[in-house]
Amino acid sequence: MHAPASLHTMVVNGQPCALPASTSTHATLLHVLRNDLSLNGPKYGCGLGQCGACTVLVDGIAARACVIPAQGVAGREVTTLEGLPGRCRSSAGLHPVQQAFVDEQAAQCGYCLNGMVMMAVALLERNPDPDEATVRRELSGNLCRCGTHVEIIRAVLRAAQLMREAQA
């Protein structure tokens, strides 16, 4: 972990990052990530923290960036979809969860994928060998309107296998 930073900095994808001086006290983390840092992995979905499209990891825990004040993560470590390969790489240069989503063709429109991938990473970091019921439960708060749930569940289970094989 990184040492706590000042009230105006955070660590984003492993890099120290100053919050722009113009950051409003009302600006959300999602706004700063997308508009100020040009990180487009987290998506704006509902703006209420209910759909999961904006999910990021804050100190390794899945969090909804659309409802977190940007200044609330000062001094903390934020990981977005773009930063996942730095956490754990597969042979293709992707995080194993990203690779499994590609392998299982677990995308249709792609809008929910950021949240699904980030929730899966958080789950697999806590529980490297989940069963299907656990995966379904963990992802139940993330909405997918395209109907790729079967492929998404399969991708998370495949990612767990890839991660276990990488550690063996």
Side-chain angles (χ1 to χ4, degrees):
M1 290 306 268
H2 298 275
S6 77
L7 294 177
H8 301 290
T9 62
M10 59 185 160
V11 176
V12 179
N13 298 331
Q15 300 297 315
C17 176
L19 290 172
S22 61
T23 302
S24 161
T25 56
H26 302 293
T28 65
L29 176 58
L30 180 63
H31 176 88
V32 169
L33 292 172
R34 290 185 61 83
N35 297 347
D36 297 325
L37 302 179
S38 299
L39 295 168
N40 294 316
K43 305 289 186 235
Y44 182 88
C46 66
L48 301 170
Q50 296 178 353
C51 73
C54 66
T55 303
V56 297
L57 302 179
V58 177
D59 294 335
I61 298 169
R64 306 295 168 99
C66 73
V67 294
I68 298 173
Q71 295 181 351
V73 296
R76 300 179 76 184
E77 187 170 335
V78 176
T79 304
T80 68
L81 188 69
E82 295 88 347
L84 286 182
R87 291 175 79 89
C88 179
R89 281 185 196 270
S90 71
S91 61
L94 298 171
H95 186 282
V97 172
Q98 293 170 308
Q99 185 62 54
F101 271 70
V102 171
D103 294 346
E104 296 297 330
Q105 298 180 359
Q108 196 161 8
C109 81
Y111 209 80
C112 73
L113 281 192
N114 174 79
M116 295 290 192
V117 168
M118 298 308 288
M119 288 297 293
V121 169
L123 165 62
L124 296 176
E125 287 182 358
R126 284 190 332 272
N127 178 356
D129 193 18
D131 59 16
E132 183 176 330
T134 301
V135 173
R136 287 181 180 276
R137 185 175 52 253
E138 288 288 320
L139 298 182
S140 67
N142 289 64
L143 302 180
C144 172
R145 292 174 180 91
C146 294
T148 59
H149 290 90
V150 172
E151 292 85 357
I152 290 169
I153 301 300
R154 200 168 47 230
V156 176
L157 294 171
R158 179 175 174 79
Q161 177 185 355
L162 292 172
M163 291 172 77
R164 287 190 306 271
E165 288 171 1
Q167 292 180 346

